[in-house]
Amino acid sequence: MTPVPVAETIAETRATVAAARAAGRVVSFVPTMGALHAGHAELVRVARRLAGPSGLVVVSIFVNPTQFGPAEDFTRYPRSLDADRTLCGDAGADLIFHPTPAEMYPGHAVAFADVTELGDHLCGPSRPGHFRGVCTVVLKLLNVVQPDVSVFGAKDAQQVRIVRRMVADLNVPGRIEIAPTVREADGLAMSSRNVFLDAAERAAAPRIYAALLAVRARARSGETDVARLESALRADLAAIPGARVDYARIVDDDRMQPLPRLDRPGLCAVAVFLGRTRLIDNLTLP
Ligand code: AMP
């Protein structure tokens, strides 16, 4: 498979999309930060299916500085454009939009996109400003590509719920579709950050998913008391060698707010540090 062409400018990307649209092609879009893996490949395959054989599938690769905190891993975030181009080609993409930070943020910006209460819990408090950075870059990317449909991963559960609401509340054209989390054979959710894990951390990491499955099993066998479910989850996570739990919560799947009883769909979401690497994962309940 030949590597997918790369557009570095907004103008070039817009021109390609405009030509496709003029030819009646459906445009689908997968925003990523690159260092692509099989989870991203699945998103691209879904985007191809949604666009149809004659559609235009655009993947963006942009490590967005504004969604990283000052003490986070922006500079060391993995980057692998050559391998990403091949993976995108194999999965059915037509174009990679790979802007520089200066192309996306040419000067001092004064306008941003943000959400209110959907960011109150889970990653919001741990990563101040993160969802403002995500909303702003996603809205900018959607304004560049103007896709008929965009595909996001269930792995970033809070992110996709926030993006969906932003698109609905701000009347952004185009649909948002969600693709399921792709996992390694041992259950670890695929992540570009998994390359940072040393051998011992990698061996311990599947226990995060095992802890989520244990919560779901308890919920399915009739436990509805969220405090009890959360304390069992925290105990399982705390028992993982080298783990530091950032959060382990069950929230209302729709509003992302605390849920005393599992009397409606819940989202069980965790963030766990293994060494310096922060991993997130989630499951819906029950
Ligand atoms: P990222 O490059 O990590 O910012 O992720 C780009 C998109 O890929 C987001 O919509 C993620 O939710 C999605 N994604 C990341 N990891 C996975 C995975 N293991 N399975 C499915 N989607 C994923």
Side-chain angles (χ1 to χ4, degrees), residues 30-43 60-63 67-68 77 134 151-157 159-160 177-184 188-194 280-281:
V30 180
T32 81
M33 298 204 300
L36 302 181
H37 50 65
H40 298 113
E42 180 57 20
L43 266 53
S60 65
I61 294 179
F62 180 58
V63 186
Q67 70 190 67
F68 288 79
Y77 195 85
V134 168
V151 187
F152 287 77
K155 154 109 187 321
D156 296 81
Q159 168 175 282
V160 70
E177 292 289 337
I178 307 180
T181 301
V182 177
R183 298 178 181 281
E184 302 285 356
L188 173 63
M190 290 194 181
S191 164
S192 304
R193 291 189 169 97
N194 290 352
I280 59 169
D281 202 349

Side-chain angles (χ1 to χ4, degrees), residues 8-9 49 63-64 107 136 138 148 165 177 185 217 223 239 251 281:
E8 293 196 337
T9 65
R49 270 200 298 280
V63 186
N64 173 40
T136 302
V138 169
D148 297 291
R165 277 300 294 274
E177 292 289 337
E223 178 64 85
V251 294
D281 202 349

